[in-house]
Amino acid sequence: MSNYNPGKIEKKWQRKWQETNANKVNLSAKKKYYCLDMFPYPSGEGLHVGHWSGYVMSDVWSRYKKIQGYEVLHPMGFDAFGLPAENAAIEKGVHPKENTKESIANFKRQLEEMGSMYDWSLAVNSSDPSYYKWTQWIFLQLYKKGLAYRKEAPANWGPSCKTVLANEQVVEGKCHRCDSEVTKKNLKQWFFKITDYADELVDDLEKLDWPERVKTMQRNWIGRSEGTLVEFKGQSSKVKVDVFTTRADTLFGCTYLVLAPEHPLVKKLTTTDHKKEVDNYCKKAIKESEIERTSLEKEKTGVFIGSYVVNPVNNQKIPIWVADYVMSTYGTGAVMAVPAHDQRDFEFAKKFKLPIIETVVPKGKSKGKSGLKEAFVGYGELVGSGEFSNLDSKNAIKKITQWLNKKKLGKETINYKLHDWLISRQRYWGTPIPIVHCKKCGEVPVPEKDLPVELPELDDFKPTGDGRSPLAKVENFVKVKCPKCGGKAERETDTMDTFVDSSWYFLRYPDVDNKKEIFEKQKVDHWLPVDQYVGGIEHAILHLMYARFITKALGDMKLLDFHEPFLNLFTQGMVYYKGAKMSKSKRNVVSPDEFVRKYGTDSVRAYELFMGPAEQDKEWADRGIVGMHRFLQKVYALIEKNTDSKVKNSDKKLETLKHKTLKKVAEDFEDFQFNTALSALMEYSNALGKKDKIGRDLLEILVILLAPITPHLSEELWEMLGHREFVFKAPWPKFDPKLIQEEIITLAIQVNGKLRGTVEVNKDVSEKEAIKLAKENQNVKKFLKGKEVKKEIFVKGRLVSFVV
RNA sequence: GCCGAAGUGGCGGAAUUGGUAGACGCGCUGGUCUCAAAAACCAGUGAGGUUCAUCCCUCAUGCCGGUUCAACUCCGGCCUUCGGCACCA
């Protein structure tokens, strides 16, 4: 029975670390490393084992860097402002301020129990005026540069959350927070001009050591697409419809134009005799939800609006239609329809009996006579396209675009799916937008010296749903003097999206107490970009794109010397329980607390890593942790039994294993493969457990290698072995490549590729000798008997293979 | 529909990058200890066959085929699951 008492040991070392300020970061250190966690929004339920999994990984990684002699900045903070925090408070029926305070205390307790090496003196809280003052300051800098602006636009309105949402926060037509269906609402809204950085955001992905999956998601989201902008003009009037296409080569096959129902030209171009029909159609289409409208099964609908334009390449008169299969938010909200070469246009043309003209045919084929059964969407060779006939598609795109450009009827264009970031929210619990609206002066930014614009304390903070935030009701907040003219004015009452708060927090940690400026440039340039960022895949687009944008914008303002915030990103897998993502509504949330109480935090830490590959999703198993606890008990007992060991190891086999383990663990750590590192340590400790007298060096290595994973246990064992310093001051042991190779190795013997025996040989055995020995094996003899050996294969250190 | 990842024992998962498949752990079975149980410890544990037994043989990494002395690993073709995007012009 082991005397391992994790409860006692863990408290003891946590206290010692605190008393000695062991986690205090020396911010002016030269050999430094910045390992960052995605800071959580504090909710009442506390952290579950899924959150822990990421925090454990980053803590293990930070400790690993620390034991290698780096000064590690590994800070933690709280994303305490915003919708999620407020919703949680409303649900509980308490004020967000109270709820946030309690939740933070609880989170902090849990993280301290975890034994994490956070330097709490650097913690940030995004709902604290000392923090959001600078969020507002960033807003003003963006405003100055024209990167923050206000405009009226149809926005995503979440009827349940009673606020507008950014495009990134709408998933399949639903709010990403509460899953309720999103509608459109015309409101005056604040935007950040992230589209200015679209190209940079795509191009700079190349420089980042991020999971390919995340990069792809960002690329798709930004959706850069190179094509041609084509102008279609009316015959007589000043009518002009712009269209974006990636297939200028099919322009001769364009037989009609389609506008989105929301397109501003619909009203203007609809002729009186079509007005009623068009109005009805548009009204219905606009009312339809995104989900209904984008359903692929739906049959195409649309109406002719009575007007015509001219196809610029062949002067054909073509009709304008309005149809809901064209999205107002992509491109120009209008498309040139080429039924022969676009499946959607094809279906539409069939239904409404519009002409289908083939202008591209597969290479080497001529035009089909019987007509098309479906659109040919591939590249090919042009036919019936005037001077461009016989060109291949790619060439034709270039040539036709050039031709249009010359005639001033079109040009090369890059289109993006990305839209500007809608940052205003009609909610209480967020950073107030530092703008004053004056009748005389218009929009006036709050002078920097007047920051922060403090969020007033409000009892009735619930969202009203009238399109304005609850702050609109607070007279002494709203009514102000205009900073410019001193006249009567009103404050902006919307607050900022939570993602604004979290788009820059990592910049604040190195200079968290600065009251004069957002940060000292020198300090931030010293520590950033972040060396290793660890977090969940759910932020692949949202936070990770916003943070990159803000960093780029601040970089362009010369406030930073870098343009990418996070060089390395590791996205840990999610932890499932009972086959599903942990969620309160599914009642399958596993809290680490009870396991920490029962088995100790070191067991939980180690088990979180042992569950499976760090980047993969995994299933939590209550029983699994028992195995980890047994292992730690064995390690404890092993050291306890041998604390007076003075000898150096003399066992050759163990010496080899020692170096093999050193190599394996170091390599696995580098690759975030903590699960196999632990397996290797188990094998190593199992091997030691079989011996009576164990060399001291073997034991010390076990303790050190375990230290990043089980810091409390390692400190205790390190002390038991007679050391006075923390184990993290010990040097990380290095392996000797010469000692990894075993003296005696086992060769496999195969006959026709099948294993028929093994033979023990010296590692340097010659091919001749190995084959001779292999042939002597009884079982192998059986298979070679009476047969001619056609081929003998020898792979050094591996096997001998006979072909008969 | 497009893009990406993954399919290995009862379970979580290993496999030196083409070289002894199933490491490590969970679970299970048997044993030791105990009045008993738990805990702990020891042994066994892919399926099937053969043997008194050690041995040994056959099959086996989603499915079908290929390359190779040798394939979880490489190539071609499918199937399934998960994730992302999606009337994107």
Side-chain angles (χ1 to χ4, degrees), chain A residues 356-508:
Chain A
I356 298 172
I357 300 171
E358 267 182 274
T359 56
V360 179
V361 293
K363 279 238 165 85
K365 285 193 181 161
S366 60
K367 209 159 147 181
K369 279 186 190 127
S370 51
L372 294 165
K373 284 202 184 69
E374 57 178 9
F376 169 64
V377 297
Y379 285 141
E381 221 164 66
L382 268 67
V383 294
S385 297
E387 57 179 290
F388 304 102
S389 294
N390 300 324
L391 285 175
D392 67 84
S393 289
K394 283 200 176 157
N395 232 334
I397 291 175
K398 237 188 258 163
K399 291 269 155 67
I400 292 177
T401 305
Q402 277 166 10
W403 185 90
L404 287 167
N405 201 12
K406 225 187 280 168
K407 303 260 171 189
K408 300 213 180 322
L409 289 167
K411 60 180 181 200
E412 223 177 291
T413 309
I414 297 174
N415 191 60
Y416 303 91
K417 221 188 73 167
L418 180 72
H419 288 98
D420 280 340
W421 174 16
L422 200 175
I423 59 122
S424 41
R425 298 289 177 273
Q426 291 71 48
R427 295 286 295 240
Y428 166 66
W429 191 243
T431 306
I433 293 175
I435 289 284
V436 169
H437 300 286
C438 168
K439 278 222 172 88
K440 223 162 74 192
C441 316
E443 245 165 44
V444 183
V446 173
E448 283 178 26
K449 66 171 172 54
D450 294 342
L451 296 183
V453 175
E454 280 206 45
L455 185 70
E457 298 248 356
L458 213 60
D459 287 333
D460 184 17
F461 56 84
K462 286 190 186 129
T464 57
D466 62 358
R468 298 196 74 186
S469 104
L471 292 178
K473 294 179 298 191
V474 188
E475 242 183 58
N476 58 6
F477 175 79
V478 175
K479 290 199 172 158
V480 283
K481 274 186 192 160
C482 170
K484 220 172 181 177
C485 68
K488 273 189 189 170
E490 290 193 350
R491 255 187 219 293
E492 170 66 50
T493 55
D494 281 355
T495 54
M496 286 188 232
D497 182 7
T498 335
F499 284 96
V500 180
D501 305 326
S502 60
S503 66
W504 71 277
Y505 74 103
F506 45 89
L507 300 171
R508 181 72 175 169

Side-chain angles (χ1 to χ4, degrees), chain A residues 57 101 140 166 202 344 373 381 409 429 571 615 727 741:
Chain A
M57 280 174 212
K101 207 171 142 193
L140 292 178
V202 175
R344 295 155 294 175
K373 284 202 184 69
E381 221 164 66
L409 289 167
W429 191 243
T571 50
E615 70 284 357
V727 67
Q741 181 64 255

Side-chain angles (χ1 to χ4, degrees), chain A residues 235-284:
Chain A
Q235 268 171 320
S236 53
S237 62
K238 300 155 214 158
V239 175
K240 186 189 100 169
V241 182
D242 283 341
V243 154
F244 174 76
T245 180
T246 53
R247 295 298 301 272
D249 56 323
T250 64
L251 195 44
F252 283 83
C254 169
T255 52
Y256 60 96
L257 231 57
V258 193
L259 302 179
E262 297 88 347
H263 201 290
L265 284 176
V266 172
K267 258 188 193 152
K268 211 168 139 193
L269 299 181
T270 304
T271 54
T272 353
D273 46 332
H274 288 85
K275 195 171 177 343
K276 211 172 159 193
E277 204 189 349
V278 171
D279 275 358
N280 280 340
Y281 181 81
C282 290
K283 255 186 217 150
K284 214 179 126 215

Side-chain angles (χ1 to χ4, degrees), chain A residues 559-661:
Chain A
L559 293 164
L560 306 169
D561 270 352
F562 51 94
H563 287 76
E564 281 292 342
F566 320 121
L567 296 180
N568 271 279
L569 172 69
F570 185 85
T571 50
Q572 88 270 9
M574 263 186 282
V575 179
Y576 287 76
Y577 189 56
K578 298 190 172 157
K581 262 184 222 181
M582 280 185 218
S583 79
K584 210 174 29 162
S585 58
K586 284 189 197 116
R587 299 161 152 259
N588 66 342
V589 176
V590 182
S591 164
D593 292 5
E594 59 167 309
F595 294 100
V596 169
R597 234 170 283 131
K598 204 163 166 190
Y599 301 105
T601 204
D602 283 335
S603 289
V604 183
R605 287 171 64 105
Y607 178 62
E608 292 262 14
L609 303 174
F610 191 64
M611 273 193 287
E615 70 284 357
Q616 247 174 55
D617 292 347
K618 42 214 158 232
E619 172 86 17
W620 176 267
D622 290 358
R623 283 302 301 177
I625 199 167
V626 177
M628 192 49 69
H629 187 61
R630 281 184 199 145
F631 167 61
L632 299 187
Q633 274 182 327
K634 276 190 237 171
V635 172
Y636 186 94
L638 184 72
I639 306 288
E640 192 182 31
K641 211 170 74 190
N642 295 286
T643 41
D644 50 359
S645 165
K646 296 274 185 291
V647 288
K648 190 166 176 338
N649 176 53
S650 55
D651 184 317
K652 263 199 163 165
K653 272 196 168 165
L654 281 184
E655 191 64 14
T656 306
L657 181 66
K658 177 176 99 180
H659 286 276
K660 272 190 161 172
T661 307

Side-chain angles (χ1 to χ4, degrees), chain A residues 717-735:
Chain A
L717 297 177
W718 195 242
E719 189 182 67
M720 279 159 67
L721 286 168
H723 294 279
R724 292 279 161 268
E725 288 263 35
F726 288 128
V727 67
F728 287 91
K729 299 262 159 95
W732 183 256
K734 298 226 156 52
F735 68 92

Side-chain angles (χ1 to χ4, degrees), chain A residues 7-21:
Chain A
K8 209 170 133 194
I9 291 174
E10 286 163 9
K11 279 211 185 73
K12 167 180 161 186
W13 289 99
Q14 282 168 15
R15 203 181 312 121
K16 283 212 179 189
W17 291 331
Q18 206 178 10
E19 282 166 4
T20 57
N21 253 327

